[in-house]
């Protein structure tokens, strides 16, 4: 599995935001109020992935007092980080596109409330992206002396 590329996440976020902006432009009046509960939910997920990254990194580096991690568990956690990053990019795009649309209607109470909820949700999704990328990075195998020897011999060629 290759590491998640940040430009791919950015393109996903921007494309989804643009599509959402177009859709919301036509359908906003028929949408229900946005639930504010996604903001703390996404922030808790981000904190959970950040904590998991710290624990996983310590276990991979075999710090004293930690139990070594099974390779399959580390691979699953890396896959979780990658999937979470893309899912959060889609959510950030959806709610970011909605916030961009609603920014022109801040003088009305309902769109203003939805603007703050959608903006907060987009920011929480970006926090989840950061936590997911940190988790994915924490699951990388540390470079050992044999990796250094291979790199030196490859640079001589």
């Amino acid at each position: 599995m290759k590491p998640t590329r940040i430009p791919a996440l950015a393109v996903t976020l921007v494309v989804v935001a643009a599509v959402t902006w177009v859709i919301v432009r036509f359908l906003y009046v028929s949408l229900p109020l946005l639930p504010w509960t996604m903001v703390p939910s996404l922030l808790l997920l981000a904190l959970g992935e950040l904590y998991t990254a710290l624990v996983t990194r310590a276990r991979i580096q075999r710090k004293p007092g930690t139990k070594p991690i099974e390779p399959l568990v580390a691979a699953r956690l890396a896959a979780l980080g990658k999937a979470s990053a893309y899912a959060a990019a889609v959510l950030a795009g959806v709610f970011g596109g909605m916030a961009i649309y609603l920014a022109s209607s801040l003088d009305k109470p309902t769109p203003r409330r939805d603007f703050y909820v959608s903006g907060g949700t987009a920011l929480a999704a970006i926090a989840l992206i950061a936590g997911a990328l940190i988790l994915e990075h924490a699951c990388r195998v540390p470079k050992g002396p044999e990796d250094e020897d291979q790199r030196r011999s490859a640079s001589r060629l």
Side-chain angles (χ1 to χ4, degrees):
M1 182 170 77
K2 294 186 181 194
T4 302
R5 294 179 39 220
I6 293 175
L9 290 174
V11 166
T12 301
L13 193 150
V14 169
V15 168
V16 171
V19 169
T20 300
W21 181 83
V22 169
I23 292 171
V24 169
R25 202 170 146 210
F26 296 108
L27 299 177
Y28 178 70
V29 293
S30 63
L31 293 176
L33 286 175
L34 293 177
W36 61 269
T37 54
M38 277 195 74
V39 176
S41 299
L42 290 173
L43 290 175
L44 284 173
L45 286 171
L47 285 174
E49 291 201 9
L50 186 60
Y51 175 76
T52 303
L54 295 174
V55 170
T56 301
R57 193 72 191 148
R59 290 178 68 186
I60 286 175
Q61 292 177 344
R62 298 180 185 217
K63 300 251 173 144
T66 62
K67 188 172 118 178
I69 193 167
E70 294 287 328
L72 186 58
V73 172
R76 287 178 178 165
L77 288 173
L80 172 68
K82 189 175 193 85
S84 295
Y86 278 103
V90 169
L91 286 172
V94 166
F95 288 100
M98 187 170 280
I100 291 169
Y101 171 76
L102 294 170
S104 63
S105 302
L106 294 178
D107 55 334
K108 300 171 196 145
T110 302
R112 182 174 48 245
R113 180 203 173 278
D114 282 348
F115 170 78
Y116 288 125
V117 170
S118 61
T121 304
L123 291 175
I126 290 171
L128 179 55
I129 292 171
L133 290 175
I134 291 169
L135 175 60
E136 184 183 341
H137 186 269
C139 293
R140 291 184 182 172
V141 177
K143 294 185 178 179
E146 58 276 351
D147 293 330
E148 195 65 35
D149 293 338
Q150 288 177 355
R151 196 177 75 200
R152 275 192 232 137
S153 65
S155 65
R156 291 180 195 161
L157 296 176

